[in-house]
Structures are given as C-alpha cells and as structure tokens.
Amino acid sequence: MSAQTRTVTVNFPSRDQQKNQGVRFGGREFVVIAGPCAIESREQFSAAAEGVKSAGAVLLRGGIHKMRTNPASFQGLGNDAFSFIKDVKNAVGLPFVSEVTDPRQISDLASIVDMFQVGSRNMYNYALLKELGQTKIPVLLKRGFSATVEEWLLAADYIVKGGNDNVVLCERGIRTFETTTRNTLDLNSVAYVKAHSSFPVIVDPSHGTGRPELIAPLAMAAAAVGADGIMVEVHPDPSRSLSDAHQALNFAQFADITRGLSSLLAAMGRELAHA
Ligand code: PEP
Ligand code: MN
C-alpha cells in the first residue's frame, strides 16, 4: 500500500525566473539540504554556502535562533545575521531554511527564509504551528524526539488546518534506551509515512546519529527507504563549529554522500534535484 505523496515547492525568487523553478519535495527528485548547524559569521556562512552548493545541495540550512540544551551555549546570532544572509543566499543562488523557535519571530524571519523549520523540541508547540498555518511559506516539521508517528502527523495537521498545506516532514531520530548513537534514526517511520500519509518526508542523519562516520550510510538508507530528501550539517571547519561540532561534516565528506546518492538513486529510477 502506498499513499500518493503531495508535492511541496519551495519557491526562490531568482534574477532569472526562467531558470529557477524552486525546489520540489515529493517528486522523483531527491532533495539535499545542507549547511551549518548555526550561522556563526558572514565568512563562515558564505564559505559553507559555496561549499555545499558545489557538492550538490539545493537548499541551504543554517540556524539563526538555536534551541540549545544548555543556556550557556551559543544561542545563534539572531536578527544580527539578517544583514548578510540575504547577500549569501543571492550570491550562491539557493533558497534558505531556518528554524523558528517562537511565534514572535515569524514576521521577521518571513523576510529572509524560503522555508521555516520547526525543531524537534517545538513539535508540540501548537501555538507556533497554528501561527505557521497562517503563512504560505513551506514548513519543515521535525519529529519530536519522543513523539509517536501519530502525534507527528497530527502536528502537521495543525499547520494544514490553519491554511498552509506546504508541510514537509523530517525524521531526525528518537530517544530510545540506546546511547551508542545520539538518537535512534527511525526509518520505519519514513516507510510508514510514505505508505499512509500524503506528506513528503525527509531524513536528518546528522542529528539521527550524531556521529560523522554514520551519516553517509544512513543517508543512503534514507534514499533506499524512499525518503524525499535529506538534511545534513556541513561546516567549513567542523572542529571549530560553535554547535554540534561532533557531527559536522567537511565538504569532502559531504561530496562523498552526494556522489553515493547519485548512483543509488539512478538504480532506483530517481535522481538528485539540481539547483
Ligand atoms: C537543527 O536541525 O538545527 C536542530 C536543532 O535539530 P533538531 O530540532 O532535530 O534537534
Ligand atoms: Mn545541529
């Protein structure tokens, strides 16, 4: 049994309207989202954007507002990053996804993001989901780390019910008894969503494993199970990342992933989405 997946398009107003059709989730093309966990400076974000684009990413990620477990940890640059994010996006020519952690951020962020991300810790923030339902901007809804699949799908319905049906789900691992990996990536949920729901679904093997050597194999597994894409954390100099340094990939490691995906997808009659 397989449900028909709806398509969700992230529009990106480019100088050449003919060329850029936006990024489409839920079709034959597999979408690769990449970028740093957090935006740290103009230099870091610009280097990250160019590096991931040249290795095949079609959507750029980067945290502006970070949900850190420890309040003493780097919380993101906030609105101070806005001035250069636009320049970086336009220079590299990729749309941008970033997390919204509070409904009060929506109007400011709407001027800079092409897709909102709802993080794992906010999947149950129904006030936030309802507000995002009032916009038309696509939403990447991460699964809560202790949410059942049913709760995750119902969270998506909150956004749809508000009037925004541009929702893409993201499996990012759940908390289990297993502590070898940061989380347990639940690929069952991806197969289930593809079979029983109409939302496109992608996989985040960076937070799903928390271990750089496991990101490539789980990215391949995501494609094999039928996901609509992946999102991975890539940093120009991983050891200097201000957040999630332990799981950040360098450009060469990321390029190996897109190369591997390209061959695997071809064998499945699919292909990587191109910018
Ligand atoms: C992220 O992708 O930046 C992030 C914080 O992930 P999660 O919400 O899945 O923990
Ligand atoms: Mn992270």
Side-chain angles (χ1 to χ4, degrees), residues 37 66 207 233 244 247:
C37 179
K66 295 304 298 176
H207 294 89
E233 290 187 343
D244 286 350
Q247 70 192 31

Side-chain angles (χ1 to χ4, degrees), residues 21-217:
Q21 306 294 319
V23 174
R24 202 160 68 100
F25 291 85
R28 205 173 69 86
E29 296 189 341
F30 188 89
V31 174
V32 175
I33 308 175
C37 179
I39 295 173
E40 300 166 6
S41 66
R42 178 190 281 268
E43 294 66 33
Q44 173 252 17
F45 189 50
S46 168
E50 281 168 25
V52 298
K53 171 152 189 197
S54 62
V58 292
L59 230 158
L60 187 58
R61 67 152 284 147
I64 297 171
H65 301 285
K66 295 304 298 176
M67 295 284 286
R68 306 306 299 281
T69 304
N70 184 342
S73 301
F74 175 59
Q75 302 284 309
L77 293 179
N79 289 12
D80 292 347
F82 279 34
S83 57
F84 63 82
I85 290 174
K86 249 189 196 128
D87 296 345
V88 170
K89 263 175 56 169
N90 290 330
V92 82
L94 292 181
F96 173 60
V97 55
S98 194
E99 184 170 347
V100 54
T101 61
D102 185 311
R104 291 168 294 187
Q105 296 159 356
I106 291 177
S107 57
D108 284 348
L109 282 174
S111 69
I112 196 112
V113 304
D114 303 286
M115 183 179 214
F116 285 116
Q117 178 174 323
V118 174
S120 188
R121 290 161 188 77
N122 264 315
M123 191 211 82
Y124 293 107
N125 185 342
Y126 300 126
L128 177 62
L129 303 181
K130 283 180 188 170
E131 283 296 319
L132 291 169
Q134 302 293 307
T135 77
K136 289 286 171 219
I137 298 176
V139 179
L140 183 62
L141 178 64
K142 294 191 113 183
R143 181 180 178 186
F145 52 70
S146 56
T148 64
V149 172
E150 188 187 7
E151 288 167 339
W152 186 26
L153 293 171
L154 289 171
D157 285 344
Y158 265 95
I159 302 168
V160 173
K161 202 156 181 282
N164 184 358
D165 60 6
N166 299 306
V167 180
V168 176
L169 302 174
C170 179
E171 163 62 41
R172 50 78 72 205
I174 53 173
R175 212 169 249 190
T176 67
F177 60 84
E178 179 55 75
T179 54
T180 309
T181 50
R182 182 175 181 180
N183 291 287
T184 296
L185 193 64
D186 178 16
L187 295 181
N188 288 3
S189 77
V190 178
Y192 182 90
V193 164
K194 293 304 292 183
H196 298 285
S197 122
S198 63
F199 295 109
V201 58
I202 69 162
V203 170
D204 171 356
S206 296
H207 294 89
T209 65
R211 300 183 75 112
E213 76 280 16
L214 302 186
I215 296 172

